[in-house]
């Protein structure tokens, strides 16, 4: 038999349509959800500004507060791991940066660098412990979450006698750092510069996932770590790198917040870790790993940003926000699972 | 192509008096065998015969407790499957080492992704990857409709083909197949046997581990029978008929006794 002749076409197979290929995209459900949520709040809006540029500046600000960390968390989830310490690490990083400058007189730029290095260290410990012990990352990072929470309060109290770090606005180099991390763009709408950071992270993460070797490894270690190892993918290195990147994104948000608000509470960031995970899951990441996208997580963050702002603009009591998030989370997972199954062609 | 005259050819793989113990359990005892390039060497054995241990030693997962392991005539010790792969020994395990949710071409190049661009910002060469994947699969006689489809949606035989084609493409000189036909139907098994034949014709030394003597006899040049951790028989293609192979594998007299028993 000639080596180059193709096997005859199998007549039992339906041609994959463009629709199926679209349905296979992990972020499709989130995109549809985002449109629905946007329409909902555009209609219920009582201030008349939700669907304007000002309104957009508002909800993208709220979304960037989640998205900056949610996108790396999504990458980590695709690789099959959780990071529950990402939220409280935002607080730790902000406090660390603030205390270095206000308490020890370190130059702000140097302090920012040290903060990133410090957070990278925390991320490395997370990843290294997970790989070393073989325990679920859920447990390891939960332990890290409580440890950091305790450290945040304890250290801040010892050093400042209060539960907050303040006065960052008065340290040298504040103005130059403020331009990079805390400024506003496009007057009079005043988009926060954090939105740019968020979009940039999403773009880079998408590029990495789809177009680089590392991205291939991320899907592989989450999809089947054993198979990945047998084909020569460095599983440990891939996962630890992602833990480090997640922690560094939390540091970025911590730095952004301490520069923007010039002070930070010791309890900052606690509870945020679930927002990141919700955004990733709403965006189509599988909890079991191996599937998802960065754009999806960014859309998930957008939905949450819209909900935070939209509920306030609609004049509803903001206490309802959490109910809304709960329903959105459940509905999104339901839709994603359904779409996913159809696209895999398994069960209908 | 005869496998009997081995004096001129350096075997691709050779085991000399290899034993493997796990604690007090002797999994393999004094295994001596050789695998020549361009031939199919079948290792036959029933469950618990030590096939898995043998395959893991060949693949670099386990190290022999005693004895020597030679690759192209040189003694080697492998610390990991990665080392073995570096020496040209590729193993297709039963789980196939494919990631179900990833597309066919991404699986094909997993761990060996082709890249282009400037150092530091090198991107996946997706076009090359897709094209190469399609050509390589076609060369094995398999036409996958959609390279973007997740590997998990392929049939067992197709997945096997992807794994074999991948090993062949990445320069395997020795291809170890762990029970490639055990989970397949009759037709799909035939397809996989055809791939084995093609790999052999490319000059690859194929080690075909199976418990099915019929499949082994169709493609094998040399046969080793493994039973309770020791090699009990060695045949070459011209010295054994299928019936003899089946008989030897089933333990000869035992099978006759069983047949007799079943007749009653």
């Amino acid at each position: 038999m000639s080596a180059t002749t193709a096997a005859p076409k199998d007549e039992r197979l339906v041609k994959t349509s463009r629709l199926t290929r679209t349905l296979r995209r992990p972020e499709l459900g989130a995109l549809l959800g985002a449109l629905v949520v946007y329409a909902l709040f555009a209609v219920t809006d009582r201030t008349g500004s939700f669907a304007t540029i000002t309104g957009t500046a508002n909800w993208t600000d709220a979304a960037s507060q989640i998205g900056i960390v949610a996108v790396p968390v999504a990458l980590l989830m695709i690789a099959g791991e959780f990071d529950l310490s990402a939220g409280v690490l935002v607080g730790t990083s902000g406090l660390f940066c603030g205390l270095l400058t206000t308490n020890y007189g370190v130059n702000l730029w140097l302090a920012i660098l040290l903060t990133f290095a410090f957070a990278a260290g925390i991320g490395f410990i997370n990843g290294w412990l997970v790989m070393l012990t073989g325990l679920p990352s859920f447990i390891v990072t939960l332990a890290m979450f409580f440890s950091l929470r305790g450290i945040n309060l304890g250290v801040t109290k010892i050093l400042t006698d209060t539960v907050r770090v303040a006065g960052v606005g008065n340290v040298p180099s504040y103005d130059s750092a403020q331009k990079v991390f805390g400024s506003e763009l496009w007057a009079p709408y005043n988009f926060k510069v954090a939105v740019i950071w968020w979009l940039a992270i999403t773009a880079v993460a998408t590029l990495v996932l789809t177009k680089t070797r590392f991205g291939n490894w991320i899907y592989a270690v989450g999809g089947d770590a054993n198979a990945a190892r047998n084909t020569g993918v460095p599983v440990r290195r891939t996962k630890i790198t992602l833990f480090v990147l997640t922690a560094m994104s939390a540091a970025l948000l911590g730095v952004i917040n301490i520069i923007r608000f010039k002070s930070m509470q010791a309890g900052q960031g606690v509870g945020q870790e679930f927002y990141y995970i919700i955004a990733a899951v709403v965006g189509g990441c599988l909890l079991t790993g191996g599937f998802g996208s960065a754009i999806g997580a960014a859309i998930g963050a957008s939905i949450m940003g819209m909900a935070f702002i939209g509920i306030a603009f609609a004049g509803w009591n903001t206490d309802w926000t959490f109910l809304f998030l709960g329903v959105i989370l459940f509905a999104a997972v339901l839709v994603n699972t359904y779409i996913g199954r159809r696209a895999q062609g398994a069960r209908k | 192509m005869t496998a009997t005259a081995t004096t001129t050819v350096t075997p691709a793989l050779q085991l000399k008096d290899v034993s493997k113990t796990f604690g007090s359990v002797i999994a393999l005892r004094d295994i001596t065998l050789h695998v020549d390039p361009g031939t199919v060497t079948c290792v036959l054995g029933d469950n618990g015969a030590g096939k898995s241990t043998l395959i893991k030693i060949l693949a670099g997962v386990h190290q022999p407790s005693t004895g020597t392991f030679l690759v192209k005539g040189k003694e080697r010790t492998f610390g990991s499957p990665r080392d073995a792969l570096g020496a040209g020994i590729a193993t297709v395990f039963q789980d196939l080492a494919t990631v179900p949710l990833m597309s066919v071409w991404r699986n094909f190049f997993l761990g060996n992704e082709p890249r282009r661009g400037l150092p530091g910002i090198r991107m996946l060469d997706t076009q090359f990857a897709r094209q190469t994947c399609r050509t390589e699969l076609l060369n094995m006689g398999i036409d996958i409709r959609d390279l973007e489809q997740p590997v998990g949606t392929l049939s067992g035989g197709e997945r096997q083909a992807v794994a074999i084609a991948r090993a062949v493409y990445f320069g395997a000189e020795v291809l170890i197949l762990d029970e490639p036909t055990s989970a397949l139907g009759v037709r799909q098994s035939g397809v996989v046997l055809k791939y084995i034949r093609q790999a052999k014709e490319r000059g690859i030394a194929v080690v075909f581990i199976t418990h099915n003597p019929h499949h082994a006899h169709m493609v094998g040049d040399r046969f080793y029978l493994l039973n309770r951790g020791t090699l009990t028989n060695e045949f070459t293609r011209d010295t054994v008929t299928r019936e003899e192979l089946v008989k030897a594998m089933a333990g000869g007299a035992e099978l006759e006794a069983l047949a007799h028993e079943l007749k009653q």
Side-chain angles (χ1 to χ4, degrees):
Chain A
M1 155 190 153
S2 159
T4 43
T5 12
K9 279 260 182 274
D10 196 328
E11 72 289 349
R12 291 164 303 172
L13 291 156
V14 200
K15 192 117 184 84
T16 349
S17 65
R18 181 160 295 181
L19 180 70
T20 315
R21 246 177 279 162
T22 316
L23 285 177
R24 264 191 215 145
R25 300 290 319 158
E27 61 273 359
L28 179 82
L31 188 62
L32 296 178
L35 294 176
V36 171
V37 171
Y38 188 84
L40 171 73
F41 287 121
V43 170
T44 57
D45 179 25
R46 282 209 218 142
T47 60
S49 63
F50 183 80
T52 65
I53 300 178
T54 312
T56 308
N58 272 309
W59 68 255
T60 51
D61 176 29
S64 70
Q65 286 282 329
I66 296 163
I68 286 175
V69 190
V71 170
V73 162
L75 264 51
L76 189 63
M77 277 179 71
I78 295 171
E81 303 291 345
F82 284 102
D83 188 353
L84 293 178
S85 68
V88 74
L89 187 57
V90 171
T92 310
S93 308
L95 295 168
F96 184 84
C97 181
L99 286 171
L100 278 183
T101 50
T102 56
N103 235 49
Y104 296 101
V106 177
N107 175 283
L108 182 54
W109 281 106
L110 180 62
I112 289 169
L113 273 182
L114 290 174
T115 305
F116 279 111
F118 170 75
I122 300 281
F124 182 82
I125 294 173
N126 272 338
W128 183 72
L129 281 177
V130 168
M131 298 320 290
L132 180 79
T133 60
L135 291 172
S137 51
F138 189 91
I139 297 300
V140 173
T141 59
L142 188 65
M144 181 59 86
F145 164 78
F146 277 102
S147 310
L148 289 178
R149 195 175 171 179
I151 292 170
N152 284 3
L153 270 171
V155 173
T156 311
K157 264 190 184 165
I158 291 171
L159 293 179
T160 67
D161 285 328
T162 63
V163 286
R164 67 195 289 258
V165 174
V168 179
N170 309 323
V171 302
S173 326
Y174 177 80
D175 291 335
S176 59
Q178 197 262 350
K179 280 204 179 64
V180 180
F181 296 105
S183 59
E184 292 174 343
L185 309 162
W186 196 10
Y189 309 112
N190 296 336
F191 279 84
K192 301 286 183 292
V193 74
V195 175
I196 307 287
W197 280 103
W198 168 45
L199 295 178
I201 289 175
T202 308
V204 171
T206 302
L207 195 67
V208 165
L209 269 183
T210 55
K211 295 281 176 214
T212 70
R213 184 171 73 173
F214 188 65
N216 223 26
W217 292 355
I218 294 175
Y219 282 110
V221 298
D224 188 337
N226 211 21
R229 197 171 290 119
N230 283 338
T231 49
V233 174
V235 175
R236 283 169 58 102
R237 179 149 57 96
T238 306
K239 288 194 174 185
I240 291 178
T241 307
L242 287 170
F243 273 108
V244 169
L245 291 177
T246 305
M248 287 177 77
S249 72
L252 174 64
L253 189 59
V255 166
I256 284 174
N257 282 345
I258 190 123
I259 287 179
R260 177 165 157 195
F261 300 111
K262 298 173 185 146
S263 70
M264 188 172 272
Q265 300 288 333
Q268 177 85 29
V270 174
Q272 297 278 325
E273 57 281 338
F274 286 114
Y275 292 173
Y276 311 144
I277 291 173
I278 291 174
V281 171
V282 167
C285 287
L286 275 186
L287 281 169
T288 44
F291 192 71
S293 80
I295 293 181
I299 297 174
S302 301
I303 292 180
M304 294 168 74
M306 287 181 211
F308 285 131
I309 300 301
I311 286 176
F313 277 18
W316 302 340
N317 189 326
T318 47
D319 297 344
W320 293 101
T321 315
F322 295 104
L323 172 65
F324 185 83
L325 289 183
V327 173
I328 282 280
L329 173 66
F330 186 74
V333 173
L334 213 58
V335 172
N336 283 340
T337 313
Y338 176 72
I339 292 177
R341 272 193 202 149
R342 291 209 52 156
Q344 304 291 326
R347 284 148 291 170
K348 303 214 169 166
Chain B
M1 190 176 308
T2 163
T4 43
T6 52
T7 40
T8 48
V9 192
T10 315
L13 279 186
Q14 224 174 336
L15 293 184
K16 280 186 183 165
D17 300 319
V18 163
S19 299
K20 178 71 186 174
T21 51
F22 297 100
S24 60
V25 180
I26 303 166
L28 288 177
R29 192 199 302 259
D30 299 331
I31 303 290
T32 300
L33 57 78
H34 62 92
V35 178
D36 294 326
T39 65
V40 177
T41 304
C42 300
V43 177
L44 290 135
D46 221 330
N47 295 337
K51 294 192 305 276
S52 310
T53 311
L54 181 62
I55 216 172
K56 281 179 177 160
I57 288 176
L58 296 178
V61 179
H62 292 325
Q63 286 70 50
S65 304
T66 59
T68 48
F69 182 5
L70 295 101
V71 179
K72 288 191 233 164
K74 280 192 205 121
E75 194 175 336
R76 297 288 298 262
T77 333
F78 295 127
S80 71
R82 188 80 179 146
D83 288 350
L85 212 56
I89 302 171
T91 309
V92 177
F93 286 102
Q94 266 176 300
D95 67 9
L96 301 180
T98 53
V99 182
L101 282 170
M102 289 175 78
S103 68
V104 173
W105 70 268
R106 278 182 186 270
N107 262 293
F108 192 91
F109 282 97
L110 188 56
N112 291 291
E113 293 83 356
R115 294 184 297 168
R116 61 172 182 181
L118 301 168
I121 44 163
R122 288 196 291 168
M123 297 285 148
L124 279 188
D125 194 343
T126 51
Q127 206 184 342
F128 169 82
R130 284 202 191 93
Q131 216 156 33
T132 312
C133 179
R134 181 170 293 280
T135 335
E136 286 301 313
L137 289 175
L138 280 177
N139 284 345
M140 286 297 246
I142 173 162
D143 184 20
I144 304 254
R145 292 82 59 190
D146 179 9
L147 290 177
E148 294 293 339
Q149 85 184 92
V151 156
T153 60
L154 298 180
S155 71
E158 287 173 323
R159 266 204 299 269
Q160 191 74 240
V162 171
I164 295 176
R166 176 171 68 181
V168 170
Y169 174 72
F170 286 107
E173 292 168 52
V174 180
L175 181 63
I176 303 170
L177 303 173
D178 185 9
E179 307 244 2
T181 56
S182 65
L184 302 179
V186 177
R187 238 186 95 185
Q188 298 238 328
S189 296
V191 173
V192 169
L193 293 177
K194 215 166 66 191
Y195 301 145
I196 293 177
R197 173 74 57 79
Q198 291 201 350
K200 162 187 151 172
E201 276 161 12
R202 288 179 172 205
I204 294 168
V206 183
V207 181
F208 177 22
I209 314 251
T210 180
H211 58 236
N212 188 326
H214 303 280
H215 290 168
H217 194 263
M218 276 190 251
V219 291
D221 296 301
R222 180 179 288 274
F223 308 89
Y224 290 101
L225 260 65
L226 203 57
N227 193 15
R228 298 178 68 84
T230 54
L231 282 180
T232 50
N233 285 85
E234 180 184 345
F235 302 109
T236 52
R237 189 174 181 76
D238 12 288
T239 60
V240 72
T241 64
R242 195 176 72 182
E243 286 66 34
E244 283 168 342
L245 201 60
V246 175
K247 215 167 173 181
M249 162 119 189
E254 268 176 58
L255 187 72
E256 268 164 35
L258 181 69
H260 193 65
E261 201 176 299
L262 288 172
K263 255 185 220 161
Q264 289 177 343

